[in-house]
Amino acid sequence: MTPFLQVVWTDDVTGRPGYLVIDRLGRGVGSGGLRMRAGVTLDEVADLARGMSRKEAIAYEPGLAYQPLGGAKGGIDCDPLDPEATGMLHRYIAAMKPLLATYWATGEDLGLRQESIEEACHAAGLRTSIDAVLPLLDDPDTALKRLDAAFAVTVDGIGLGDLAGGCGVAESALTALDRLGIREPTAVVQGFGSMGGATARFLARAGVRIVGVADADGLLTDPAGLDVEGLLRARDPFGRVPGDKRPREEWLDVDCDLLVPAAVSYCIGVDEAPRVRARLVVEAANVPVTPEAEHVLTSRGVVVVPDVVANSATNSWWWWTLFGDIPADADAAFAKIRSWMRRVTTEVMSDPARTPREAAHDLSARNLAAQR
């Protein structure tokens, strides 16, 4: 299906491109994060925007104040560590201001933090990065105060906004492990930023032994289990952890029951799929497994829980909180996330004739039809 809107922007300072794809509108708005990485492409952004449409549709729950939006995604072709990154972000946001004010609600994604996006939005004269959603609210001021209060909540020194997504991925993984009958599971997590770090924390606290953690610099392994809490305290703002590391590309070679790619897209292709030793892959990153690689994994009996299910909690938590379906409270957030993720993961794994991704696509289509 043709996207509602595609924008290609060229930065007049660096000459580098940026992109916005609004795949579809729901209630007049498309929702999806803004990522920054060197080499990001329009095709990648369009693929992610389609995934956001499915992720939003899966979140449909009759009776809630929050009803799903459409899907969108933004991308800036720049290394986040580049000295030009901040300036390029501000210029991109300024260029996209008319769309951010009316059609596109965004937030942090790969390479960007929410506070950086908000700073750029304020500099452009926008109230927030989700201005497009505010007309849907009965009382925007109260709703924004509730969301701000939720972002101010910390649990063991980590912000609730950074924990929500990982809680969802972990609960999805735990549900899948239960359905597969895997006891005393082991896991490898690729990426140790906000999503990967939080996922590892919730898995470890649920009794999963984390035997491998990969960051941008390399791979830490310990068959007896890594000290996840110690690594969280020691990581830098980019999710890098200290220690004697193996080459980072060896993360697929570690024996484990559960593999959680939580960093970059398309990191498991047809060349990498035969190396996967896990029985279960749960996608914390956006589209980490290519369609061709998933066919290889499925033929080997490896179950893949897709990103549109597994990593949907961050997006849903934002909207549940903003629309007042849950309070600005960690216990309420985790309870809602856990019950939601367990129900949806169970549903997409219940038909032995369908892969979880196929079942998720069917669920999103049914939900879209139910909203019309």
Side-chain angles (χ1 to χ4, degrees):
M1 188 171 70
T2 303
F4 172 77
L5 180 68
Q6 291 189 155
V7 178
V8 179
W9 167 80
T10 302
D11 182 23
D12 59 4
V13 175
T14 66
R16 298 171 187 159
Y19 310 99
L20 168 62
V21 176
I22 299 176
D23 181 64
R24 62 176 296 275
L25 297 179
R27 305 174 71 192
V29 181
S31 166
L34 172 60
R35 65 173 40 195
M36 177 181 281
R37 76 168 189 87
V40 71
T41 67
L42 178 61
D43 286 345
E44 175 184 341
V45 173
D47 190 22
L48 296 169
R50 285 190 294 272
M52 280 303 306
S53 289
R54 297 189 186 104
K55 190 180 297 183
E56 281 281 345
I58 284 173
Y60 174 61
E61 186 174 346
L64 293 185
Y66 159 58
Q67 294 296 297
L69 309 173
K73 204 74 175 184
I76 300 174
D77 183 2
C78 183
D79 186 325
L81 301 179
D82 191 298
E84 290 285 353
T86 298
M88 194 170 176
L89 171 62
H90 279 243
R91 292 186 292 273
Y92 174 94
I93 292 292
M96 300 299 172
K97 178 181 176 179
L99 296 171
L100 285 162
T102 53
Y103 288 126
W104 179 33
T106 194
E108 71 173 47
D109 195 70
L110 179 71
L112 287 173
R113 297 288 294 172
Q114 186 62 32
E115 52 265 32
S116 300
I117 296 174
E118 293 293 346
E119 179 183 315
C121 286
H122 295 161
L126 293 162
R127 183 173 183 179
T128 71
S129 66
I130 57 170
D131 277 12
V133 173
L134 300 186
L136 301 177
L137 298 162
D138 293 333
D139 187 348
D141 290 338
T142 298
L144 288 173
K145 287 177 182 177
R146 184 169 50 245
L147 189 61
D148 287 343
F151 271 101
V153 172
T154 60
V155 180
D156 297 330
I158 299 178
L160 181 55
D162 285 341
L163 293 170
C167 177
V169 174
E171 195 63 32
S172 183
L174 292 168
T175 303
L177 288 165
D178 286 346
R179 291 191 62 82
L180 294 174
I182 298 173
R183 304 290 179 254
E184 300 182 359
T186 58
V188 171
V189 179
Q190 181 228 24
F192 210 64
S194 58
M195 183 68 85
T199 300
R201 162 178 270 188
F202 284 106
L203 287 173
R205 291 187 174 184
V208 177
R209 185 157 35 102
I210 309 300
V211 296
V213 166
D215 63 15
D217 297 332
L219 170 70
L220 287 178
T221 59
D222 186 344
L226 293 163
D227 177 8
V228 170
E229 295 296 331
L231 292 176
L232 287 169
R233 290 191 297 270
R235 68 179 173 177
D236 70 10
F238 300 99
R240 295 176 298 198
V241 295
D244 295 325
K245 298 175 183 176
R246 295 162 54 178
R248 65 181 181 181
E249 60 269 16
E250 293 182 9
W251 70 286
L252 292 172
D253 303 321
V254 182
D255 284 319
C256 62
D257 299 301
L258 166 66
L259 194 66
V260 182
V264 297
S265 303
Y266 317 119
C267 59
I268 301 178
V270 290
D271 293 334
E272 291 79 19
R275 294 169 48 203
V276 172
R277 301 190 182 188
R279 289 178 56 192
L280 173 66
V281 178
V282 175
E283 295 186 324
N286 291 318
V287 202
V289 180
T290 68
E292 297 81 7
E294 186 164 344
H295 288 310
V296 174
L297 292 172
T298 300
S299 70
R300 295 177 50 215
V302 179
V303 175
V304 180
V305 178
D307 58 343
V308 294
V309 172
N311 76 4
S312 63
T314 300
N315 183 69
S316 295
W317 169 77
W318 264 69
W319 302 137
W320 288 329
T321 304
L322 185 74
F323 282 85
D325 292 312
I326 58 173
D329 174 80
D331 289 340
F334 296 151
K336 177 64 175 173
I337 288 167
R338 287 182 171 120
S339 64
W340 171 255
M341 294 305 300
R342 188 159 286 271
R343 179 166 73 82
V344 176
T345 303
T346 298
E347 182 167 352
V348 302
M349 292 186 69
S350 293
D351 185 351
R354 309 284 283 166
T355 68
R357 190 176 305 277
E358 290 168 341
H361 287 185
D362 291 346
L363 176 59
S364 65
R366 290 197 303 273
N367 285 350
L368 281 173
Q371 295 168 62
R372 293 192 178 106

